[in-house]
Amino acid sequence: MGQHSRRGTAVLRSLLFPAAVLRSLLFPAAVLLVLFCFLAGLADLDNNRSGEERQRLEDSIRRAAVACYTAEGIYPPDLAYLEVRYGLQIDREHYTVFYNIFGSNLMPDITVLERANEP
């Protein structure tokens, strides 16, 4: 009877071994999945943040141009004018600004683009 129970235990172990292996692999897989989701969320937050900063810069340039028009009766001829007289600050390492003026009494076309990261 002792030998029969040993064989039964061996059969039981062989049946439980795949379940034990699966259980031991399930935890690391779950940890990797959670880590992947966390990193994907961080990347998405970073993309949203940079888009908001770009929009904020564009809005700041537009407000400064309107303030200039209100105070002086003309839109500023270029960005340097806004930087010197209205304290506008542009992060030129991260953004490229296109400022096209059509006339002193017409709102300029303002476009801010994010520069690509160079490796």
Side-chain angles (χ1 to χ4, degrees):
M1 188 128 168
Q3 197 161 11
H4 180 65
S5 68
R6 282 188 201 151
R7 266 191 265 162
T9 305
V11 169
L12 184 60
R13 280 188 192 151
S14 68
L15 291 175
L16 292 179
F17 179 71
V21 169
L22 286 176
R23 265 187 260 132
S24 67
L25 293 176
L26 186 61
F27 180 71
V31 169
L32 288 174
L33 180 65
V34 168
L35 182 63
F36 175 77
C37 290
F38 177 73
L39 292 176
L42 282 179
D44 189 45
L45 283 176
D46 187 47
N47 287 339
N48 287 340
R49 181 186 55 83
S50 65
E52 289 174 4
E53 287 177 2
R54 184 197 59 76
Q55 185 62 47
R56 200 171 319 136
L57 175 59
E58 191 171 311
D59 292 344
S60 295
I61 296 169
R62 197 171 312 282
R63 279 193 305 271
V66 169
C68 176
Y69 184 77
T70 303
E72 301 178 27
I74 61 166
Y75 283 104
D78 54 27
L79 288 173
Y81 191 89
L82 290 174
E83 289 173 317
V84 170
R85 296 191 180 200
Y86 290 88
L88 181 68
Q89 296 179 354
I90 299 171
D91 183 0
R92 296 187 191 277
E93 289 182 22
H94 293 101
Y95 301 101
T96 300
V97 179
F98 296 98
Y99 183 88
N100 298 315
I101 188 146
F102 305 107
S104 63
N105 63 340
L106 298 174
M107 179 70 171
D109 180 38
I110 302 167
T111 305
V112 177
L113 299 176
E114 190 171 358
R115 288 182 176 234
N117 292 336
E118 297 175 8

